[in-house]
Amino acid sequence: MIPITTFLALGSNLGNRQKNIRRAVEFISERIGKILALSSLYETQPWGYESTKDYINVAAKVSTVLPPEGLLYVTQRIENDIGRTTKTVNHEYHDRAIDIDILLYGDLALDTPTLVIPHPLMCLRAFVLQPLAEIAPDVVHPLAGKTIAELSRLLTEATPV
């Protein structure tokens, strides 16, 4: 199979957040494929729920031969191995040791009961777009038709002051 470039978002707000991110990056390298780029670490507030624990977020560019559903399975196993015990259901978010989201998978647009690519909320989340824009500013979102840098700038400009 020909390798596909995929982009992942990683976040942690429980335990040793930086260590959780480092372990996830190691597992991704071992189980998913070669990490081609990794953004800086970003400290952000929780999104979509109340918590006193801030997140560390990072974006990763990864070359993989896994199909989309296989990639989802492996990312969920990595989450479990790092200590994630609950999954988000009906947009009810919780603190977590690690969260790994598949943002983009090549230029694929996929909508199944178990997986939606591009990630359906990525264009609403500065904590996703800012790290992603650092490592993939010129990548075009397959549905929005705009570059990641443009999407990040639009979101930042739309933020109330």
Side-chain angles (χ1 to χ4, degrees), residues 6 12 14 26 57 68 72 84 89-90 93 105 112 121 151 158 160:
T6 186
S12 174
L14 285 181
E26 289 170 12
N57 294 100
L72 176 64
R84 182 159 182 185
V89 178
N90 297 324
Y93 301 105
Y105 185 93
T112 72
L121 299 175
L151 292 170

Side-chain angles (χ1 to χ4, degrees), residues 3-79:
I4 297 289
T5 299
T6 186
F7 291 92
L8 306 174
L10 291 73
S12 174
N13 80 331
L14 285 181
N16 185 329
R17 300 170 302 160
Q18 289 188 26
K19 181 180 177 184
N20 293 341
I21 296 290
R22 277 195 308 273
R23 286 186 65 210
V25 167
E26 289 170 12
F27 286 148
I28 288 167
S29 181
E30 293 167 6
R31 301 177 191 180
I32 293 175
K34 182 177 181 175
I35 295 177
L36 304 172
L38 198 61
S39 75
S40 303
L41 298 176
Y42 289 76
E43 189 162 30
T44 63
Q45 295 181 338
W47 185 92
Y49 75 105
E50 297 292 323
S51 176
T52 58
K53 298 174 176 73
D54 286 345
Y55 277 84
I56 297 285
N57 294 100
V58 67
K61 177 182 182 181
V62 183
S63 176
T64 188
V65 295
L66 294 174
E69 293 285 350
L71 178 60
L72 176 64
Y73 174 79
V74 175
T75 59
Q76 289 178 342
R77 292 293 317 138
I78 292 170
E79 289 175 343

